[in-house]
Amino acid sequence: MSPHVACRIARLKLPIGTALVVVLAVTGAIRAEQAQPVPPRPAQPTVDEVEIRVLPVQRNVYMLLGAGGNTTVQIGNDGVLVVDTQVAGLAPKILAAIRKLSDKPIRIVINTHVHGDHTGGNEALAKSGPLPVRIMAHENVLKRMTAPNQPSVSEASLPLSEYFTPTRDFFFNGEAIVLHHVPAAHTDGDSLVFFRGSDVVSTGDLFTPESYPVIDLQNGGSVQGVIAGLNRILEITVPAKFQEGGTYVIPGHGRLCDEAEVVEYRDMVTIVRDRIQDLIKKGMTLEKVKAARPTRDYDTEYGTNTGFWTTDMFVEAVFRSLGGKK
C-alpha cells in the first residue's frame, strides 16, 4: 500500500476491520486500473484531411502542427528559417501557412534528423522562391539520405550545408541560432536547434511527449544517447516562475512544452532503462523482459499497442540498445 493511501485511511479514523476492507478495495482498484489495456491511438488523417495549425511560441518563432513531425518557423527581415519540413504531400499547406506569417523568401531549412516525416518537404520548400535555400543538418543526415539502402532523393532535397562538429552557430533574423549535435540518440544525426534570443528549442524526435521515444537502432540510435540528449535539452532550458514557461520546447511530435515536461520525460526514460538493464543482468530474455512489463506505470501516458511505434517495440529497442540478447 502506498504512503498516500495509508495517510488518507488514517485521516478517516476507521475501525481496524473497516479500514482493512477499505485497503483491500483501494488496492483492488489500483490493480484493476494497472491491468487495463492501453487504448489504441486514433488513425492518422490523410494528407487531404490535415489542417496545418499555427501556434505563436515566443518573439518571432512559430510552431506548425500537421501530420508529420512538427515544423518550427522563424521569421524576420532576413527571411524565413524552417526547422523540419514534414511529409512531402503537406508541402503546399506548409508553404501556405508560412505565407500567412511572412512574405519573405525561405532562406534556410534545418533538418533535425533523416526521417521522411521531417525531411519530405525539403525539395518543395527549396524551390518555393527566387533565392537559393540552404538546407542544413548534421553530416550523418546527408550520409543516411544518400546511403544505398535508402530511397533515392533528389539533390534539391539534400542537406548540402552540413556540419560535423558538436555545435554550429550562426546569426539570422536578429538572433543567434545554435545547432547541437546529439550523437547516437533517436538516430546518429540528431540536432537540437536553439533560438537563443527567442528562448526556444526545437528538438526533433529526440523528445516526443505523447509517446515513448523512437530509438532507431538501424540509423544509429540508442537509449543512452536519448537520455544524454534529453539532459542536453535541460542544460539549455531555464524555467520561469513556478517552473512554468521560460524556455519553450518544440518537440518532434506533440504539444508545445517547457522544461518541467522534459524533466518528467527524461526521468521516465531513465527509469525504464534502469529496469530493463536490471532484468538483463538477471539473464532474462527479451520475451521475459516484455512479460515483466517494465513500462507498466507509464503505458497509459506514453504507450500504445497499435500503430507505427508500440510499447513492445520501445521495450525491444531499449533491450537491444543495452546489449540484451534473444
Side-chain angles (χ1 to χ4, degrees):
M1 181 174 57
S2 73
H4 299 294
V5 174
C7 289
R8 290 174 184 173
I9 293 173
R11 289 194 195 105
L12 293 175
K13 298 180 180 180
L14 297 173
I16 293 176
T18 306
L20 180 59
V21 172
V22 173
V23 170
L24 292 174
V26 171
T27 304
I30 292 172
R31 288 176 177 169
E33 181 180 350
Q34 290 177 343
Q36 290 295 318
V38 178
R41 292 183 179 170
Q44 290 294 316
T46 64
V47 169
D48 291 337
E49 296 171 331
V50 172
E51 177 183 354
I52 302 298
R53 293 182 292 138
V54 178
L55 178 66
V57 182
Q58 288 192 134
R59 286 185 57 176
N60 58 340
V61 175
Y62 297 80
M63 175 179 174
L64 274 55
L65 298 95
N70 292 329
T71 295
T72 303
V73 175
Q74 183 227 38
I75 62 173
N77 292 330
D78 296 334
V80 178
L81 181 151
V82 178
V83 180
D84 290 339
T85 58
Q86 301 198 27
V87 296
L90 283 178
K93 293 185 177 183
I94 295 291
L95 282 168
I98 291 172
R99 290 291 166 252
K100 292 179 181 178
L101 298 173
S102 172
D103 59 0
K104 298 283 187 179
I106 296 172
R107 301 302 309 275
I108 297 174
V109 168
I110 301 172
N111 292 145
T112 59
H113 62 285
V114 67
H115 292 150
D117 58 339
H118 292 256
T119 62
N122 279 10
E123 181 175 2
L125 268 63
K127 295 179 177 180
S128 64
L131 298 177
V133 177
R134 294 168 60 197
I135 302 179
M136 304 175 65
H138 188 266
E139 65 173 356
N140 287 344
V141 175
L142 178 61
K143 290 178 181 178
R144 296 288 182 183
M145 289 180 75
T146 56
N149 62 335
Q150 293 287 347
S152 60
V153 293
S154 68
E155 186 173 349
S157 67
L158 294 176
L160 299 179
S161 180
E162 75 274 17
Y163 72 103
F164 55 88
T165 51
T167 62
R168 178 175 178 175
D169 54 48
F170 58 96
F171 204 80
F172 193 72
N173 282 330
E175 69 176 319
I177 297 167
V178 186
L179 309 184
H180 298 270
H181 175 228
V182 183
H186 169 58
T187 67
D188 60 5
D190 296 340
S191 291
L192 302 173
V193 185
F194 179 36
F195 297 88
R196 200 164 71 182
S198 300
D199 202 16
V200 176
V201 183
S202 184
T203 71
D205 283 358
L206 178 62
F207 173 54
T208 53
E210 296 174 359
S211 69
Y212 290 118
V214 176
I215 303 172
D216 187 349
L217 300 178
Q218 290 187 335
N219 282 314
S222 72
V223 67
Q224 305 287 29
V226 168
I227 294 170
L230 294 169
N231 282 326
R232 188 74 185 92
I233 296 172
L234 294 174
E235 290 173 359
I236 297 170
T237 54
V238 179
K241 192 174 183 180
F242 303 121
Q243 299 298 307
E244 296 290 336
T247 308
Y248 279 103
V249 180
I250 299 177
H253 298 261
R255 64 189 183 275
L256 181 66
C257 295
D258 56 23
E259 183 189 75
E261 289 162 297
V262 181
V263 170
E264 290 182 10
Y265 197 80
R266 186 275 314 271
D267 290 350
M268 174 273 294
V269 180
T270 303
I271 290 168
V272 171
R273 186 274 312 269
D274 290 348
R275 289 173 177 172
I276 294 176
Q277 182 72 78
D278 184 59
L279 296 175
I280 291 172
K281 289 179 179 178
K282 292 177 179 177
M284 287 194 178
T285 63
L286 173 60
E287 289 70 25
K288 289 183 177 179
V289 168
K290 288 181 179 179
R293 296 184 62 205
T295 62
R296 58 190 176 276
D297 43 346
Y298 295 109
D299 285 347
T300 54
E301 184 170 0
Y302 304 107
T304 181
N305 296 324
T306 60
F308 163 74
W309 188 247
T310 65
T311 302
D312 269 6
M313 293 168 70
F314 169 62
V315 171
E316 180 169 351
V318 175
F319 178 87
R320 297 196 183 285
S321 176
L322 294 173
K325 297 180 172 35
K326 276 193 172 182

